[in-house]
Amino acid sequence: MLKTPKKRKRPRPEQPEQPELPELPETVGEAAGPGSRAAREATEAADEPGIERTAAGLFQVCLTPLPKGSSQKGLRSFMGNLVPASLQLDSAAGQANVCFQDASDAKLCLERWNGLNAALTSAPKKRRRLLDPSQKPVFAGPARSAPRAPIESRGFSESEDEHVDLGAKPKGGPSADGSSELLALTRKIASFAAQRRLSDAIKTFDRILAKGLAPSVQAYASLLNAHVNSGDMPGAASTFRKMLADGLRSNVVVATALLKGYCRAGDIQAASGVLQDMMRQDPPVKPDLRLVNTLLRGCVRVGDLQTAESVFDRLAEWQLQPDASNCIFLVSLLSQRLRTKSIGALLRKPPLEAVDQGNLLSQPTTSTSSDQNICRFWAKGKCNKGSACPFFHDSAVAKAKKDRDEPERLAAVASVSLHLAHAAALSGKTRCCVRALCGVESAHAAAKDLPRARNASKEQQQSKQREQEQEVKAIRDFLASQKKGPAFNFSDFLGRCFLVPASELQSWGLRQPAQEPIQQRFARCLQEGRLRWSKVFGSQAPVKLELGAGSGEWVAAQAKADETNWVALELMRDRAHSVLRRAAFQDLRNICVVCGEATKILEHLVPNCCISHVFINFPEPPFVSGDEAAESNFHMVTPELFAEMHRILRKECQITILSDNHRYMQSLARMARIEWCLLV
C-alpha cells in the first residue's frame, strides 16, 4: 500500500516588520482575527485621510485649524463619550493630536470634526472673521510677519478663566516654536503681578523679547496687571499701547484689567474711555458682568452716579441681565444722594423682586420632554425666550435655579433695603424708613434656613448679617430719639462735610431753600482757599485729625467720648459718606468729614500749625505678605505726607500710628526720622 508523501510547506518570502496591533475586542459571533470586522475597520481607518497609525498601534486624528481659544477641557467636552488614549494641544499652531485605541472611535471623532469645521466655514462672513486665526487683527497696528496664536474665547472653551489661567503647566514636551518657554515666562509675570513685584515682572517680559519670542496677549495682560496692581497707570497705558502696536487685538480680559486700574486711581473718565474703545472695535467687544461691576465699583469709590446710571441703563444693549452686585453698587450711590424713590423702584424689579414660579417656568405648551426637543440654553439658565421658545423647559431646572439664586437675592434685598433705610432716615421720611427696616429683617428671617449665598462663605455671610443688624438697631435708636428731641435737620451735618462742590448739592435731594445756607456756610469756612476750623465747628476747641477714617467707627467713638473737635479724612466717597451718616445718627456735631487724597488735602486745605494730634490707624503697607520687593503707589504714608503733617502740627504735638506690622512700623520710624532731620 502506497502512502502519499506529506506536502512540504513552502517558505514565505520575508515581509517588512509591521507594528504590533493592539488587542481588539471580539465582536458578537466573530473573533478578532486577521479577517475579523475589527481588523478590517483598523485597516480602513489607517487608510482614511486624516487618520494615522502611530508606532504604538494607536489611531491618531489631527484636528486643525482649531477655533480660537480652544482648550483641552473644551476638546474633551466636544468628543463626548469618546475617550482618547492621549490628547496633545498645540495652541500656537492651532491644532490638536488625539489618539484612540479603537479605530471606530477615531473615525467617529474625524466625522464630528469635519462636520464642525464645515459649520464654521459656512458661518456668516462677520462671524468667520472671529473664528479665522489668519485674519489680521482689527485694532490698528502693523502687520506681523507670522500669524499669531489664537487668543479669544471662540472655540472649545467653557469659561473666561480658562484663557487667563497662567498657572497651569503645559502638557507635553517643549515645542519647536518656543510656546512652552513663552508660557513659563508668562506664568512668572502673572505671579510677580499678584505679589506687586513690578520690576521683576518687567525684567521677565524683557526676557521674552531677548529670546526672540513673540509676546502673546496673555503675556501683555499679565504685565499690564502688574502695573495696575502696583498703581502705575502710566506704565499700564504704555503696555496697552505696545500690545496694540504689536498687532494684537484687545479682549474683555485685558480691558477689565486696564479699567480696574483707572477705577482704583479714581479716574472714571479714563475708565469709561476704555469701555468706549471696546465698543468701537470691528467687531465690537461687548462687556461682561465682571467688567460692568468693576466700573460700577469705581463709580461708588468716587461717587459718580451719572456714569453708574448710564452703564446700568445699557445692560440690555449689551445683552446682559442685571445681577445683585449691579443693583447694590447703584443703590449705594442713590442712597448717598437720598434718592429713595429710585431705590424703591429697583426693589420692585428683577433680580431683587421675588421670583414667581409660574413666570420662571415659561413652559411652552407645544413642546415635549423628549431628549431631542430639550432646550439646552434653559438647562444652563440662559434661555430668555420664555413661552416663545419652541423647545422643552424642564420644571426641575427652574426650581433648582430659583433655589440656587434665592440666598443671593435675599442678601441683596437686605443690603438694598438697608441703603433705603439710611436715605429715608436722613431725608426725614420716617414711614419709608420703617418699611425698609422691616424689609431687612424679613430678608434675614427668610434666609435663615437656606444655604449660604454662592459668592460668600458662611462666616462672611454671618458677619455681614451681624453688621446689618447693628445698623438696623442704630437707625431705630435714631428714629426713637427724634420723637423726644428737636426736629432733625440733615443740613446741619452736611455743612461740616466737604465731599462734593457746593454746586452739586441739588443732586443730594436737598431743596433750594436748604441749599443756600449750606453754600453760605461753605464760603465762611474757607479763607484764601484753606479751612477755618473755628467757622467749621463754631468753637475754639483743639482739632484732632484721623487720616484714613474708613467707615468712621473709631473717630465716632472718640468724638463721643472727647469734647475736642475731630476731622475725619477719607479717600473713598462711600466711606466718607458712612462717616457723615454715623455722625448724623449719633448727633455728633464735633466731627468734620473731608474726602480726598491725604497729602493733597493737607497741602491745599489745611493751614499751618492748627492740628493738635494726628492719628493713622492700620495704614496699608506698600508690600504684600512680607515681600520687600513689592511696589505699590496705593499706600498713604509717604515722605511727602510726613512733611505735610510736620507743617500742620502745633508745637510739641504728636503723631500716633497704629499697626500690627512690625517691619512696616520700623520703616515708617526711619522715614519719619529722616524727614524730621531734613525739616527741623
Side-chain angles (χ1 to χ4, degrees), residues 145 189 205 228 233 384 411 430 493 558-559 573 587 655 668 680:
S145 57
I189 299 175
F205 188 84
V228 168
M233 288 313 300
N384 55 6
T430 305
F493 296 90
Q558 299 301 317
R573 180 73 66 84
D587 196 24
I655 298 175
L668 292 181
V680 175

Side-chain angles (χ1 to χ4, degrees), residues 216-515:
S216 62
V217 170
Q218 286 87 347
Y220 274 109
S222 299
L223 180 61
L224 188 148
N225 202 35
H227 285 282
V228 168
N229 290 343
S230 298
D232 180 19
M233 288 313 300
S238 175
T239 300
F240 185 69
R241 290 193 296 269
K242 290 179 182 178
M243 185 190 74
L244 301 182
D246 202 19
L248 297 176
R249 186 173 183 268
S250 178
N251 55 32
V252 68
V253 179
V254 177
T256 301
L258 186 62
L259 186 143
K260 178 184 69 174
Y262 284 125
C263 288
R264 292 190 67 177
D267 193 349
I268 299 299
Q269 183 176 0
S272 301
V274 174
L275 179 60
Q276 295 173 4
D277 291 341
M278 288 175 53
M279 302 302 297
R280 282 198 292 261
Q281 292 189 71
D282 184 19
V285 177
K286 294 184 179 180
D288 57 5
L289 283 177
R290 182 180 179 184
L291 184 144
V292 170
N293 288 334
T294 301
L295 182 55
L296 291 178
R297 189 182 296 108
C299 293
V300 172
R301 183 186 181 96
V302 300
D304 191 344
L305 176 60
Q306 183 177 0
T307 301
E309 288 183 320
S310 174
V311 171
F312 193 84
D313 292 340
R314 296 184 65 184
L315 290 179
E317 174 188 342
W318 299 327
Q319 298 179 354
L320 297 175
Q321 295 292 333
D323 64 356
S325 298
N326 301 151
C327 297
I328 291 175
F329 290 141
L330 181 60
V331 166
S332 177
L333 290 167
L334 293 172
S335 177
Q336 294 177 25
R337 304 300 178 91
L338 309 181
R339 301 267 291 273
T340 55
K341 292 184 179 180
S342 300
I343 299 175
L346 279 176
L347 277 172
R348 295 187 292 270
K349 297 179 181 179
L352 301 179
E353 184 185 23
V355 180
D356 184 2
Q357 188 74 10
N359 293 336
L360 182 63
L361 291 178
S362 301
Q363 175 64 45
T365 57
T366 59
S367 299
T368 65
S369 59
S370 62
D371 293 340
Q372 296 180 352
N373 294 328
I374 292 178
C375 180
R376 293 179 297 171
F377 296 98
W378 173 258
K380 296 181 179 180
K382 297 181 179 180
C383 181
N384 55 6
K385 295 183 179 180
S387 58
C389 181
F391 298 99
F392 176 72
H393 288 180
D394 189 359
S395 59
V397 174
K399 186 178 184 304
K401 183 179 185 300
K402 178 180 180 297
D403 295 341
R404 184 178 67 250
D405 295 343
E406 187 64 9
E408 186 176 356
R409 186 191 73 84
L410 291 174
V413 168
S415 298
V416 171
S417 299
L418 188 58
H419 281 299
L420 176 58
H422 286 149
L426 293 177
S427 55
K429 301 177 181 179
T430 305
R431 293 183 178 179
C432 178
C433 180
V434 172
R435 288 196 299 267
L437 294 178
C438 293
V440 177
E441 295 169 343
S442 299
H444 287 171
K448 185 177 181 180
D449 298 329
L450 296 179
R452 65 175 178 86
R454 289 172 294 173
N455 57 353
S457 64
K458 183 177 180 180
E459 292 76 13
Q460 291 174 336
Q461 188 169 335
Q462 292 176 349
S463 176
K464 182 69 173 179
Q465 184 169 336
R466 285 194 297 268
E467 292 177 2
Q468 292 176 346
E469 290 172 352
Q470 293 175 0
E471 287 289 329
V472 169
K473 183 179 181 303
I475 297 175
R476 290 194 181 279
D477 293 342
F478 168 74
L479 296 179
S481 66
Q482 296 307 304
K483 298 179 180 179
K484 303 176 182 178
F488 172 75
N489 188 0
F490 183 52
S491 302
D492 295 342
F493 296 90
L494 195 57
R496 287 186 296 275
C497 177
F498 299 90
L499 293 179
V500 295
S503 58
E504 297 184 13
L505 289 175
Q506 184 178 1
S507 63
W508 282 63
L510 298 177
R511 297 179 180 179
Q512 188 65 30
Q515 298 177 27

Side-chain angles (χ1 to χ4, degrees), residues 145-157:
S145 57
R148 302 292 305 185
I151 297 300
E152 292 187 279
S153 173
R154 294 291 188 268
F156 302 112
S157 61

Side-chain angles (χ1 to χ4, degrees), residues 148-149 151 162-170 178-194 197 200-209 211 213-226 248 253-254:
R148 302 292 305 185
I151 297 300
E162 290 185 19
H163 310 290
V164 296
D165 182 12
L166 304 177
K169 295 182 179 180
S179 59
S180 298
E181 188 175 8
L182 176 61
L183 286 175
L185 293 174
T186 303
R187 290 198 305 271
K188 285 187 177 181
I189 299 175
S191 177
F192 290 143
R197 296 170 58 178
D200 293 333
I202 295 175
K203 292 178 182 177
T204 307
F205 188 84
D206 292 340
R207 286 178 57 191
I208 295 178
L209 301 178
K211 290 179 178 293
L213 302 175
S216 62
V217 170
Q218 286 87 347
Y220 274 109
S222 299
L223 180 61
L224 188 148
N225 202 35
L248 297 176
V253 179
V254 177

Side-chain angles (χ1 to χ4, degrees), residues 533 537 541-545 564-567 610-613 650:
W533 300 123
F537 294 105
V543 179
K544 298 180 180 180
L545 169 65
T564 58
N565 296 324
W566 286 84
V567 179
C610 64
I611 303 297
S612 61
H613 204 147
R650 293 180 176 179

